[in-house]
């Protein structure tokens, strides 16, 4: 009898061991696969079971959380949604996250191990930390000025602080309210369908995810290449440039909107934006030096993140001389985001140096303790310091005497460059109006802000589109907001 009891006890012990082994297999080794299984609702319930951390502009949150009393309890709210949509993105219970909501999701949702003093203990107990906060570099006054300046027209504004790379404004228009995508009911699905079907693409972040032909604003890069290479040594010397200019190897003639461009010195050609002078200049510089300088400014960089990814701005290195001529005036395959062109302007303002742009100043725990900071940013030399000094002088003259007078600010030093970029089949599209600039207040030791504005207004009369008329006033408003902040 004792033998049967012993056998039964051993069998029960084996069953218990098997049960413990299976529980260990499921809870330890297969836990991740169960967590990631779409049928497992516990992860989603836990994720939305507490308020999400906030994204801050200045000292004020531009996001929030609303208690719905549902199974997915907390929904994201955006008190000023359209204004900050290019910065925050959306956090949707159906469609996921974008932009800062995506790049900082672990911290905002409370799953980042950095939020806990004892992350291993939290892993064992499945305890979730309160969501952390993300403090941005955005200047609220500059953001409002950019948004009001575009006034619903298609376009974008990017502004950076030249000496640090801090992004001060990031606006895309037309915009949308991310809150309409926050929940999980039928209204969210209808909003998603409506936004995706909208031909104006309100969810497209034109400031960092859309590239445009930069037009004459790219002449800053072309002239930097020419000065660095020694192709231009005297900006007041006649250039022997014909008007019109026949593109090399073709019978195609390039003309100018401005008058007086024949043999114009670089100073005058830059001030009045003579295409013929700069197209010919780019050919003289050559594709190798042009490509090298463009790369130093940030073109053809596939790895830029702010922290979310930025579309690559491109300068085609496989071109013949005719194509190089067009590329050198910001046409052909040359494409740039507004953020990239703000970086070009910032390099001029910062003595030829570029600081990589960034959008997150620091992250904190829910109680305010700092988790991480932006830290020092590496410096890239885009051009010789002497070249930057000369370009700075020429950009000032564009604003004081040339095509950019609408950007002038009383009591401040302002430099700028206008651009009107052709696009479409045979340049049939309504041109894009560009303006890039920088500004230094009378009490400032260095420029405080660099701005790029692009306006793509399909409703405007083609002949009335200009960087100086359409984009420069917006840039001026943004610069004034920063200087008086």
């Amino acid at each position: 009898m004792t033998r049967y009891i012993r056998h039964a006890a051993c069998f029960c012990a084996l069953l218990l061991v098997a049960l413990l082994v299976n529980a260990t297999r499921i809870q330890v080794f297969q836990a991740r696969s169960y967590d990631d299984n779409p049928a497992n609702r516990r992860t989603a319930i836990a994720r939305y079971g507490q308020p999400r951390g906030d994204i801050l502009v200045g000292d004020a949150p531009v996001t929030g959380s609303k208690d719905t009393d549902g199974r997915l309890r907390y929904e994201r709210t955006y008190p000023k949604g359209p204004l900050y949509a290019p910065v925050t993105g959306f956090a949707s219970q159906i469609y996921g996250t974008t932009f800062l909501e995506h790049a900082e999701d672990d911290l905002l949702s409370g799953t980042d191990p950095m939020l806990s003093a004892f992350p291993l203990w939290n892993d064992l107990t499945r305890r979730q930390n309160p969501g952390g906060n993300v403090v941005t570099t955005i200047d609220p006054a500059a953001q409002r000025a950019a948004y009001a300046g575009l006034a619903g027209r298609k376009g974008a504004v990017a502004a950076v602080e030249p000496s640090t790379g801090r992004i001060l404004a990031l606006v895309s228009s037309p915009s949308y309210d991310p809150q309409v995508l926050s929940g999980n009911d039928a209204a969210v699905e209808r909003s998603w369908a409506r936004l995706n079907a909208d031909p104006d693409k309100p969810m497209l972040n034109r400031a960092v995810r859309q590239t445009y032909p930069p037009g004459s604003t790219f002449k800053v890069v072309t002239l930097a290449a020419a000065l660095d290479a020694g192709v231009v040594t005297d900006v007041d010397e006649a250039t022997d440039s014909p008007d019109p200019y026949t593109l090399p190897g073709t019978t195609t003639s390039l003309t100018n909107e401005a008058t007086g461009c024949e043999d114009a010195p670089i100073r005058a050609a830059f001030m009045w934006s003579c295409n013929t002078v700069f197209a010919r200049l780019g050919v003289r510089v050559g594709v190798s030096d042009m490509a090298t300088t463009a790369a130093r400014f940030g073109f053809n960089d596939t790895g830029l993140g702010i922290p979310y990814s930025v579309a690559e701005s491109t300068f085609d290195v496989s071109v013949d001389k005719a194509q190089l001529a067009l590329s050198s005036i910001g046409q052909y395959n040359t494409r740039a985001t507004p953020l990239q062109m703000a970086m070009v302007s910032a390099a001029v303002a910062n003595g030829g140096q570029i600081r990589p742009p960034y959008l997150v100043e620091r992250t904190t725990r829910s109680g305010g303790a700092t988790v991480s900071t932006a830290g020092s940013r590496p410096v890239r030399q885009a051009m010789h310091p002497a070249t930057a000094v000369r370009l700075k002088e020429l950009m000032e003259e564009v604003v004081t005497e040339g095509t950019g007078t609408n950007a002038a600010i009383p009591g401040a030093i302002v430099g700028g460059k206008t651009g009107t970029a052709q696009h479409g089949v045979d340049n049939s599209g309504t041109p894009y109006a560009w303006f890039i600039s920088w500004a230094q207040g009378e009490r400032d030791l260095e420029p405080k802000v660099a701005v790029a504005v692009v306006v793509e207004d399909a409703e405007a009369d083609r002949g009335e589109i200009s960087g100086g008329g359409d984009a420069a006033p917006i840039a001026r408003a943004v610069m004034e907001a920063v200087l008086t902040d």
Side-chain angles (χ1 to χ4, degrees):
M1 185 68 179
T2 303
R3 183 163 56 93
Y4 293 126
I5 294 174
R6 188 166 57 248
H7 288 170
C10 289
F11 182 68
C12 289
L14 287 173
L15 290 176
L16 180 60
V17 170
L19 183 64
L20 291 173
V21 169
N22 189 55
T24 301
R25 177 180 65 86
I26 292 173
Q27 295 183 21
V28 177
F29 297 103
Q30 293 187 342
R32 179 65 63 184
S33 64
Y34 284 113
D35 284 344
D36 295 339
N37 192 312
N40 180 13
R41 297 283 289 169
R42 293 179 62 188
T43 302
I45 291 170
R47 175 183 176 86
Y48 299 109
Q50 66 177 17
R52 190 171 172 84
D54 282 321
I55 297 172
L56 280 67
V57 172
D59 295 323
V62 296
T63 59
S65 294
K66 178 177 68 175
D67 189 346
T68 66
D69 288 326
R71 291 194 71 190
L72 304 183
R73 183 171 175 180
Y74 286 94
E75 290 182 7
R76 197 54 148 166
T77 60
Y78 299 89
K80 299 177 181 177
L83 176 60
Y84 291 108
V87 176
T88 63
F90 61 75
S92 171
Q93 293 179 354
I94 299 178
Y95 300 108
T97 54
T98 57
F99 304 145
L100 278 187
E101 293 278 27
H102 179 74
E104 300 292 346
D105 182 60
D106 287 350
L107 182 122
L108 292 166
S109 63
T111 60
D112 191 330
M114 294 293 290
L115 294 172
S116 174
F118 305 102
L120 292 178
W121 176 252
N122 279 14
D123 286 345
L124 290 173
T125 62
R126 298 292 179 124
R127 177 180 176 272
Q128 191 164 348
N129 296 299
N133 297 325
V134 175
V135 181
T136 70
T137 58
I138 294 294
D139 181 321
Q143 186 81 0
R144 289 192 299 268
Y147 187 78
L150 285 170
R153 290 177 293 174
K154 279 196 286 188
V157 179
V160 300
E161 186 175 64
S163 61
T164 64
R166 296 171 68 245
I167 296 175
L168 303 177
L170 207 63
V171 170
S172 178
S173 179
S175 190
Y176 73 105
D177 186 356
Q179 190 165 329
V180 301
L181 301 177
S182 293
N184 54 65
D185 56 17
V188 171
E189 296 181 8
R190 289 193 297 271
S191 295
W192 177 260
R194 173 179 55 81
L195 289 168
N196 280 284
D198 191 328
D200 287 338
K201 298 181 180 180
M203 289 197 294
L204 172 63
N205 190 337
R206 289 174 165 85
V208 297
R209 293 282 176 86
Q210 176 72 11
T211 60
Y212 302 87
S216 292
T217 60
F218 191 79
K219 291 171 184 175
V220 173
V221 178
T222 300
L223 185 51
L227 289 167
D228 275 1
V231 174
V232 171
T233 55
D234 183 355
V235 296
D236 293 306
E237 184 179 36
T239 55
D240 192 29
S241 300
D243 185 9
Y245 170 55
T246 303
L247 298 179
T250 75
T251 57
T252 302
S253 292
L254 182 67
T255 58
N256 299 289
E257 293 291 333
T259 58
C261 290
E262 185 174 357
D263 298 333
I266 292 296
R267 185 185 300 276
F270 190 84
M271 187 187 307
W272 299 108
S273 209
C274 294
N275 287 334
T276 52
V277 174
F278 278 87
R280 181 175 177 273
L281 182 60
V283 174
R284 290 177 60 202
V285 172
V287 67
S288 178
D289 284 339
M290 281 294 300
T292 298
T293 300
R296 288 174 180 160
F297 275 99
F299 286 81
N300 300 331
D301 180 359
T302 60
L304 181 60
I306 61 171
Y308 54 81
S309 63
V310 176
E312 178 188 4
S313 297
T314 56
F315 181 84
D316 196 338
V317 299
S318 303
V319 290
D320 59 28
K321 288 186 176 180
Q323 294 163 343
L324 177 59
L326 294 175
S327 298
S328 301
I329 58 171
Q331 299 288 166
Y332 189 56
N333 285 342
T334 305
R335 307 277 300 188
T337 63
L339 180 60
Q340 173 61 62
M341 295 314 296
M343 291 167 60
V344 169
S345 185
V348 174
N350 197 39
Q353 293 183 335
I354 288 182
R355 296 272 187 180
Y358 65 98
L359 189 54
V360 176
E361 194 74 79
R362 65 184 184 278
T363 59
T364 71
R365 295 186 177 93
S366 59
T370 298
V371 174
S372 66
T373 59
S376 60
R377 313 291 287 184
V379 176
R380 182 172 69 247
Q381 195 73 36
M383 59 190 134
H384 296 314
T387 296
V389 170
R390 181 54 55 85
L391 278 167
K392 197 173 177 183
E393 172 193 338
L394 294 178
M395 288 182 76
E396 285 182 49
E397 292 178 358
V398 169
V399 174
T400 56
E401 304 175 45
T403 56
T405 54
N406 281 336
I409 300 172
I413 303 171
V414 179
K417 183 70 189 79
T418 55
T420 306
Q422 309 291 339
H423 67 99
V425 178
D426 296 326
N427 294 331
S428 58
T430 303
Y432 300 137
W434 275 95
F435 192 73
I436 64 172
S437 59
W438 52 264
Q440 178 176 343
E442 56 186 339
R443 296 184 181 179
D444 298 324
L445 298 178
E446 59 188 9
K448 287 186 65 177
V449 59
V451 182
V453 178
V454 62
V455 179
E456 41 170 318
D457 190 352
E459 302 301 319
D461 182 85
R462 181 183 179 91
E464 295 176 358
I465 292 288
S466 73
D470 294 86
I474 301 172
R476 180 187 65 222
V478 175
M479 292 186 291
E480 283 181 318
V482 174
L483 295 180
T484 57
D485 200 10

